[in-house]
Amino acid sequence: MPTTRSQRATAAVAAGAAATMLAPAFVAPTKLNVVTSAPAPVASSAPASGVSASASVVGAGAAALAAAATVRPSKRCAKKEKVVRMATATEVDVDTECINAIRFLAVDAVNKANSGHPGAPMGQAPIGYLLFAEEMQYNPDDSKWVNRDRFVLSSGHGCMLQYSLLHLAGYKSVAMDDLKQFRQWGSKTPGHPENFETDGIEVTTGPLGMGISNAVGLAAAEAHLAAVYNKPGMELIDHYTYTIAGDGCMQEGISHEACAYAGHLGLGKLIAFYDDNGITIDGHTDLSFTEDVGKRFEGYGWQVLEVSEGNTDVDALRKAIKEAKACTDKPTLIKVKTTIGFGSPNKADSHDAHGAPLGADEAEATRKQLGWDYGEFEVPQTVYDTFGKHAKAGAEKQAAWEKMWKEYQEKEPELAAQFKRAVIDRKLPENWADALPKVTPEDKGKATRLHSQDCLNAIANVLPEFMGGSADLAPSNMTLMKCTGDFLKDSYAERNMRFGIREFGMGAVANALSLDKTGMIPYCATFTIFTDYMRGAIRIAALSQAGTIFVTTHDSIAVGEDGPTHQPIETIPSLRLIPDLTVMRPADGNETAGAYKYAVERSKNESRPTMMAFSRQAVPNLPNSSIENTMKGA
């Protein structure tokens, strides 16, 4: 209780806890009696030597926390001893109190559900705390504010981190009762983050690597919209995208595809935290994963920073975020060394903390280890006050933005009208479909991929929010927009996205353009057979209500001389099995135009995906075909 905590802090001061001690990193000391009160950290008088420095000046409580996690030694986790200076304690260590509140909400919710993943939130809590209590701009009362910062929990199994943060930040979608219903049927706190269930969740994550790839798409949307609409002194779009990814995300191939693309684009407002805890379901990652992730990302063109003590060194995390924001021409990966299940005496740094409850006894032992004197689901008011203060600042930023928006409408009326329609109201212009081409049976037949090209370019001329590209198949898919240039590092205002041969990453990026909720209508293209490479992204588009238009060509055995490897025999029937994915295979020019009308309206108005398959070979234009009849099915 608060009185007890104050008494302990006072006793710690009286005991003269300002001595210097040596603490082996991540190894529990034999005695913790003198430092269980979690006193406040103080800043070092010496200049910081860099984010990756292992020595950090922290308070007595933080030093205790740094030593609190019991480790099963492994080669990967071995570290040198570090000096921790014990500072004079103060009564309230706000950082530690807020971080521990996040940890124990996760512990308690998983225990109550008897299901879930407590370990990741316990290690990632300091990152989440800094983002939601200090760094991010957001307004809990308006979760769709277009200039909010975006947050993606790529390691979605640790979703109690995100639910706890939303609750503490004041989102009405996650009340305390919702936390107590974690993983229960019909709850707003399901086993993985779902944007269609819980307000404040940007994208649905669960399949590892998908989230960080979505984050690339969100950052790309920011870069494009900023380039199109911002004017000097009137930056309508100016926000960051943050994501937390784990070892599993780094191993999945999709993260390679999307993150290489992000580096190529130089997305400077994308900041990714790599939760390097060295544990997966099988055990320590040494079993299968020994590559240098930092070097890999440097090769992609990212700035790479390191925080060697992510469990307690909050100031090092602050410094890393500051450095990340200072780098404007590259995305940043902050490699944070954490301990899964941090604070648990018997399960920290082991797969036991990954996907199972700690249990009542271990939860109690963890409370003692971290000096947390509160009961289950009990949060001190000071924690709410800390998060609430930052949320209020976010609301004030939105109010300032609204004032700027009013000025923008006066000074840039034409762009403002487009921004209001396309981005804020997310509506299609009147009679936009009149631009779609129409054919008659007398017109010479041609491949439906060529009809698709005609439709796509007609749409591009009337819908500035229409954006996308192909996985290195634009000349074959016929998906290049002629009215705009290439979306590249120095030309973010353009709309042709050059995804390279990265189908899976392409699908995730395109999904995020829609889920950004700024009115974008994304499309991506490949051969029909290669939808197999991005099947996971197509399925997640349908599940998470992303309005992606999947354009595919070479829809049958008639693919020229390429042979059976390129013939989509079972592909289209299998895609039709995905719930909430509309699959269309137009037979001529009018049906192609009708399919595009349906797909665009479904994307913009309903935020739902459509997959279209077009032919390589010429087909005749059929009697009685029309755009109107196509709406009945194609």
Side-chain angles (χ1 to χ4, degrees), residues 297-320:
F297 273 73
E298 286 177 353
Y300 293 157
W302 290 53
Q303 173 183 231
V304 177
L305 307 174
E306 185 173 347
V307 175
S308 60
E309 175 44 84
N311 302 304
T312 59
D313 197 345
V314 180
D315 284 338
L317 287 167
R318 288 190 178 102
K319 184 175 185 293

Side-chain angles (χ1 to χ4, degrees), residues 1 50 63 67 80 91 95 164 180 211 260 283 307 337 360 407 413 499 594 628:
M1 295 293 94
K80 297 178 180 179
E91 290 194 5
D95 289 350
S164 299
K180 294 177 180 179
V307 175
K337 189 62 187 174
E407 179 187 0
F499 288 109
E628 294 73 24

Side-chain angles (χ1 to χ4, degrees), residues 41 93-99 102 125-138 149 165 168-169 240 242 273 313-322 325 383-394 397:
D93 177 351
V94 176
D95 289 350
T96 301
E97 190 167 59
C98 289
I99 291 166
I102 298 165
I127 302 171
Y129 159 66
L130 284 182
L131 292 180
F132 277 77
E134 292 187 10
E135 293 293 338
M136 287 174 54
Q137 63 179 21
Y138 62 88
D149 284 338
L165 292 169
L168 295 173
Y240 287 88
Y242 300 93
F273 296 87
D313 197 345
V314 180
D315 284 338
L317 287 167
R318 288 190 178 102
K319 184 175 185 293
I321 295 171
K322 184 177 180 180
K325 289 185 172 182
V383 173
Y384 286 115
D385 292 343
T386 299
F387 281 88
K389 181 179 179 181
H390 187 67
K392 181 181 178 182
K397 287 181 180 179

Side-chain angles (χ1 to χ4, degrees), residues 525-545:
T526 187
F527 286 168
T528 305
I529 188 67
F530 295 148
T531 57
D532 285 347
Y533 278 134
M534 61 172 175
R535 182 65 60 102
I538 296 172
R539 182 180 183 275
I540 287 292
L543 178 66
S544 64
Q545 301 173 11

Side-chain angles (χ1 to χ4, degrees), residues 196-219:
F196 53 92
E197 286 289 352
T198 313
D199 189 45
I201 303 291
E202 300 286 355
V203 299
T204 295
T205 58
L208 294 177
M210 185 73 72
I212 192 172
S213 303
N214 289 153
V216 173
L218 296 174

Side-chain angles (χ1 to χ4, degrees), residues 102 105-106 109-110 117 121 157-165 179 182:
I102 298 165
L105 284 175
V110 173
H117 302 75
H157 55 275
C159 55
M160 268 309 303
L161 172 78
Q162 193 163 12
Y163 298 146
S164 299
L165 292 169
L179 297 182
F182 177 56

